[in-house]
Amino acid sequence: MEAPLYRGFPFDPSAPMGAGCAYWVGPRHLAGDDGRLYDAVADVLGELGWTSLTTVRGRREPDDRQVIRSTVLHISPDALRWAQWVLADEPFHLGDLPIAWQVSARTDTSSLAEWSAYFTTGVPGEAVADFLVALDARNQPAVPLVRPDLVVDTATAHGWLRDLDQPAAATDPTFISYLSLGEVPPLIQDADPRTLATGPDEPGPSGWQAWAQPAPDARYLWAASFAASVPHDLVAAFATSLSSTESVLRRVVPEATRERLLWTPAGQAGWPAAGRS
């Protein structure tokens, strides 16, 4: 559930909402996707010169009802990386949330994907966009880079806390959002042979997972999963953006985190403008 942003602080549900009001809010990892996760990412891909293709399939029922599924695929100019908007196509779930974006890369145009990364609804669009900007800039998108410290260091540089019991993990100071290198959920696409050869009771290669949960028993706010072969420098780009202290522009915020956000009306001086850093 999402809540509109109101004037005044703290948030007051009884206060009148200004039509079309926009606000700078933070922290970013609790700000949600503003209900425009597709547009926020697709606009950046368009600026990068990626081509978009839409596949629509379905059937018309005798009572004139239409059952239609559509997938929007964005492909890089070299066709070695792509981002797929799958929310309208019965996606599988992470943390009981539907996956909205699936990003993949391969070594050459004749091969299948070497790895995939998945982002549910609620993930800040700025973080997904920055992940894709880093992917677009990478010369060899499917060549692994294993440097867990790179991911954790980017988050701790923005005030997140390193997990003393698990060095390849970090959390925000409120212990709501997490980054962790560990077990990869089922169905995460990865061409690593060790993934295919792992038995049902054997641990497979570790991949980065990220999520936000406002309370121990609460519904997840968002989740992201990176296959074991996703280069850690790309995960670091996501972590850098996710943990950024720069504010983001929002018109709606998640109901579960609205009381934890700092905000100011857009156009008001005194708070930094949003950016993809």
Side-chain angles (χ1 to χ4, degrees):
M1 179 181 295
E2 289 184 325
L5 288 169
Y6 296 91
R7 298 186 182 277
F9 185 87
F11 289 111
D12 179 7
S14 65
M17 182 181 68
C21 287
Y23 298 81
W24 295 114
V25 304
R28 181 178 299 188
H29 62 95
L30 300 181
D33 62 15
D34 204 29
R36 56 183 307 273
L37 183 55
Y38 175 78
D39 292 334
V41 175
D43 289 349
V44 171
L45 294 177
E47 294 172 3
L48 294 174
W50 289 35
T51 301
S52 63
L53 304 171
T54 303
T55 301
V56 179
R57 61 187 184 277
R59 64 180 184 274
R60 184 181 294 276
E61 301 292 350
D63 60 359
D64 202 35
R65 288 186 299 112
Q66 287 185 317
V67 180
I68 296 177
R69 300 288 180 265
S70 64
T71 298
V72 183
L73 182 66
H74 297 258
I75 307 172
S76 65
D78 62 7
L80 296 182
R81 54 211 103 193
W82 60 95
Q84 191 171 3
W85 175 258
V86 296
L87 188 61
D89 197 30
E90 299 181 354
F92 65 92
H93 289 64
L94 281 174
D96 293 328
L97 294 172
I99 289 171
W101 281 103
Q102 177 179 344
V103 180
S104 305
R106 57 185 176 180
T107 55
D108 59 73
T109 56
S110 63
S111 64
L112 299 176
E114 291 291 324
W115 58 258
S116 290
Y118 305 80
F119 306 91
T120 71
T121 54
V123 176
E126 296 84 359
V128 182
D130 283 338
F131 176 83
L132 284 160
V133 168
L135 174 61
D136 181 79
R138 207 172 195 269
N139 290 330
Q140 296 177 303
V143 175
L145 172 67
V146 181
R147 278 192 54 191
D149 58 309
L150 185 63
V151 178
V152 176
D153 288 349
T154 59
T156 56
H158 287 158
W160 285 37
L161 307 175
R162 188 183 302 268
D163 190 326
L164 298 180
D165 297 323
Q166 185 181 356
T171 179
D172 79 286
T174 64
F175 300 97
I176 291 178
S177 297
Y178 298 85
L179 289 162
S180 179
L181 181 63
E183 183 178 359
V184 177
L187 304 179
I188 299 302
Q189 184 177 4
D190 196 321
D192 189 324
R194 295 175 299 165
T195 302
L196 302 176
T198 301
D201 299 322
E202 300 174 349
S206 295
W208 283 97
Q209 314 304 314
W211 67 94
Q213 189 175 25
D217 298 324
R219 185 172 185 264
Y220 287 96
L221 181 63
W222 56 260
S225 182
F226 303 86
S229 297
V230 176
H232 287 187
D233 55 310
L234 299 183
V235 182
F238 174 81
T240 299
S241 183
L242 182 70
S243 61
S244 174
T245 57
E246 290 193 21
S247 57
V248 289
L249 193 64
R250 294 290 186 267
R251 288 175 175 80
V252 293
V253 295
E255 180 76 30
T257 59
R258 58 184 296 191
E259 298 293 344
R260 298 177 180 269
L261 293 169
L262 299 175
W263 62 285
T264 190
Q268 178 173 316
W271 209 5
R276 293 200 305 273
S277 61

